[in-house]
Amino acid sequence: MKDRIVVTAIEKMFDQRRLSDDDVRGSVAGFIDGTVSDLTIATWLGAFAARDVDFDEVKSLTDAYIASGRQMESGPRSGPVPVDKHSSGGVGDKVSLTALPVISAMGIPVLKLSGGALGLAGGTADKLASIPGFRVQLGHSELESILARSNLVIGSQTADLCPGDSATYRVRDLCGAVKSAALIAASIVSKKVAAGSTRVVYHIKWGEAGLVSDEASARGLGELIDALSRAYGIKSKIVYSAIYSPAGYCVGNLLEVIEARRFLGGHSAHPTLREEVYAVCRALLEVASFDPADADRKITTAIENGDAVATFDRWLVAQGADKEFVDDPELYFSSLEPERRPVHAKRSGIVARIDPLGIAEIAATLGSAKEAIDDCIDPVAGIELKVEVGTEVSAGDVIATLWSGQPISEHLELLSYNSIVFAAD
Ligand code: URA
C-alpha cells in the first residue's frame, strides 16, 4: 500500500504533474516504515530533484519531514530567544566552534543541534565528540539546563528528529540527488523547525569541495532556505562564502577544536577563518535584533578581553569535557602520542593555492572522517597547515604537519605537498 502511494507519486512526477500534500506526506511515511525499497525511494528522490518543483511542493516535503518525528518544545524561558546557526559544510570549517562562543559571550543565548557528517567534512558534532568527556547526546532537559548555566549548548540531532529526512538522506547519494536545492532546503529547514529554532543563520558555501559548486547555485539555495524559513516563522539570515582554501590552518577533529580555542584566545588569525567568523557573528547579531552599530569592534572586544575564550571553556566544562583537556588542550593532544609527519617544501616560492578538496581527502585518509555510519573517527587525525595563500616559503621549510593515530605513509606526505600549490616563477 505504502509502496503504491510512492509509485503513484513517481508516475505523477514523470507526467509533469504537481504533487499534493497527501502525495508527499504518504510517500515520506512510506520511506520510514521499511516497506518501500531503496530503489523506489531513490527513484522518487531522483524524479523530485530533476523537476522544476514549486515552492508548495518543497513546503509539503518539509512539513512531511517534520511530521515524521518529534518536535522539541522550547521550554518557558525568560530573557532573549536563543539563536542557532547551520553550515552547508566546508573544509576545516570551525565557524560554529568560534562564532557561537563569541556571540554567547556578548549575552545572546545559543542553542544548536548539530548533525555528524558522512563524507569528507566532519560535522560539528564529530568535532565536539573528539573532546574527552564531552557529551553531545543530550536530552531536552539537559539542553535547557546547560543553556541556563553556560548560555551556550550544542547537542547532536537525535534519531527521532525528522526520521523522514534521515531515510532520504541515506539514499540521495545513490541517485545523484545530493545537490538538489529543493531537497537540501527541505532537509535543513525541517530540522531547524523540529528543533524549535526560531532565529537562524545559514552559512552557505560553494566550491568544488562544497555542497554546491558555484555562486549562482549557492544564492538560489539561500533564497529558497530563507523563504522556507519565513514560512515557518523563523527569522533567518544567509551568509555566503566561497571555499577557495581550508577555513583555517587545521583540518581534523581535535586539531580544529584546538584551533578554535586559539582563535577565541586571540592567538590565531587565519584570514579566511577570521572573515567567516565575523560575517557569521554579524548575521547572528542581526537575527538576535542586537544593536548592529560597531558590530566588528564588539566582536573584537569579546575576543581581546578574554570573554570569548572564557565562555568557550565554561561551555566545554558544562557539557562534561575533562578538566585535563580544558586546562591545556595542546598538552592533552601531545599526551595521546599521535604519529606525526612533517611536509617539507621542495622549492622556494609563494603559496598560490591550497586545494581544499585535496586537503579534505588527505585528512579523511588519515582517519578524520567516516566513510560509513559505523566507522570510528580518529580524534587526532588531520592536517595542520603552516602556510596560507600568499606565504613566502624557502626550500626545506615545514609547510604542513600530518597527524594520525596510525603510521603515516610517505605517499600521503607527497599528496599533501601536491595540494599546496606554488605560484609559477
Ligand atoms: N545538511 C543537511 O542537513 N541536509 C542536506 O541535505 C545538506 C546539508
Side-chain angles (χ1 to χ4, degrees):
M1 172 63 186
K2 293 268 173 51
D3 217 354
R4 202 57 251 151
I5 295 173
V6 179
V7 173
T8 304
I10 294 170
E11 286 168 351
K12 262 184 141 174
M13 289 192 270
F14 285 166
D15 286 345
Q16 306 300 336
R17 282 184 289 147
R18 297 280 153 219
L19 296 182
S20 68
D21 241 6
D22 285 348
D23 294 328
V24 177
R25 194 177 283 253
S27 296
V28 171
F31 299 164
I32 52 179
D33 89 343
T35 57
V36 180
S37 70
D38 280 0
L39 179 65
T40 308
I41 300 177
T43 308
W44 193 102
L45 293 167
F48 194 87
R51 288 161 69 240
D52 196 7
V53 287
D54 65 27
F55 183 77
D56 288 346
E57 289 174 297
V58 185
K59 172 82 168 44
S60 296
L61 185 60
T62 313
D63 284 341
Y65 284 163
I66 297 165
S68 69
R70 190 172 66 94
Q71 251 188 286
M72 279 178 56
E73 304 280 325
S74 49
R77 298 189 191 108
S78 53
V81 177
V83 295
D84 185 1
K85 167 204 171 267
H86 185 93
S87 165
S88 64
V91 176
D93 183 347
K94 55 202 71 73
V95 176
S96 290
L97 297 179
T98 39
L100 296 177
V102 171
I103 288 299
S104 169
M106 292 166 83
I108 299 167
V110 178
L111 192 161
K112 171 176 165 59
L113 294 188
S114 173
L118 274 178
L120 291 177
T124 299
D126 296 327
K127 292 169 199 184
L128 291 171
S130 72
I131 301 171
F134 192 96
R135 293 176 52 240
V136 284
Q137 312 273 359
L138 302 169
H140 182 251
S141 58
E142 280 180 303
L143 285 167
E144 291 290 339
S145 75
I146 293 168
L147 180 64
R149 265 183 289 144
S150 61
N151 206 38
L152 167 58
V153 61
I154 302 182
S156 65
Q157 277 155 14
T158 48
D160 56 3
L161 201 85
C162 300
D165 170 58
S166 319
T168 54
Y169 209 64
R170 210 169 37 80
V171 282
R172 271 167 57 193
D173 248 358
L174 306 175
C175 58
V178 171
K179 297 191 172 200
S180 149
L183 291 175
I184 296 171
S187 167
I188 292 177
V189 176
S190 61
K191 286 177 288 203
K192 294 294 154 203
V193 176
S197 301
T198 56
R199 294 175 180 213
V200 185
V201 169
Y202 300 99
H203 191 189
I204 299 182
K205 302 184 160 196
W206 78 88
E208 57 175 327
L211 194 56
V212 286
S213 44
D214 57 89
E215 182 170 0
S217 311
R219 294 204 177 262
L221 174 61
E223 280 159 25
L224 183 56
I225 288 178
D226 197 32
L228 203 50
S229 297
R230 261 186 277 118
Y232 290 96
I234 294 175
K235 185 171 173 191
S236 68
K237 178 95 192 141
I238 316 283
V239 174
Y240 299 96
S241 302
I243 309 175
Y244 294 123
S245 62
Y249 294 109
C250 294
V251 180
N253 294 290
L254 260 187
L255 288 170
E256 289 188 42
V257 175
I258 292 169
E259 184 179 11
R261 189 178 187 279
R262 286 181 60 75
F263 179 94
L264 292 167
H267 302 299
S268 162
H270 187 285
T272 310
L273 178 60
R274 186 178 191 284
E275 195 182 304
E276 293 189 10
V277 170
Y278 274 65
V280 166
C281 282
R282 270 181 236 122
L284 285 163
L285 291 174
E286 206 174 315
V287 295
S289 308
F290 222 64
D291 177 5
D294 270 351
D296 284 14
R297 192 187 48 77
K298 288 174 190 161
I299 296 163
T300 303
T301 303
I303 294 171
E304 287 181 352
N305 69 11
D307 284 355
V309 77
T311 302
F312 183 82
D313 287 351
R314 199 166 47 245
W315 161 52
L316 294 199
V317 170
Q319 279 194 234
D322 288 359
K323 189 171 178 315
E324 186 192 357
F325 179 84
V326 180
D327 285 350
D328 193 338
E330 287 166 60
L331 186 64
Y332 172 81
F333 186 86
S334 321
S335 75
L336 298 176
E337 301 184 356
E339 298 283 332
R340 72 192 284 273
R341 188 167 194 123
V343 179
H344 296 274
K346 297 189 200 310
R347 69 173 183 91
S348 303
I350 293 175
V351 176
R353 180 174 135 76
I354 301 177
D355 171 21
L357 198 55
I359 295 290
E361 279 167 357
I362 292 157
T365 309
L366 287 164
S368 72
K370 296 182 193 185
E371 273 180 35
I373 202 93
D374 295 328
D375 285 355
C376 286
I377 286 179
D378 175 357
V380 295
I383 302 187
E384 188 183 357
L385 295 161
K386 305 288 187 189
V387 294
E388 60 203 51
V389 172
T391 305
E392 208 172 324
V393 168
S394 301
D397 283 357
V398 175
I399 53 176
T401 305
L402 309 184
W403 297 96
S404 179
Q406 304 296 321
I408 302 168
S409 71
E410 199 178 332
H411 179 60
L412 279 183
E413 181 188 334
L414 184 63
L415 287 179
S416 308
Y417 180 69
N418 290 340
S419 297
I420 301 172
V421 181
F422 288 79
D425 294 322

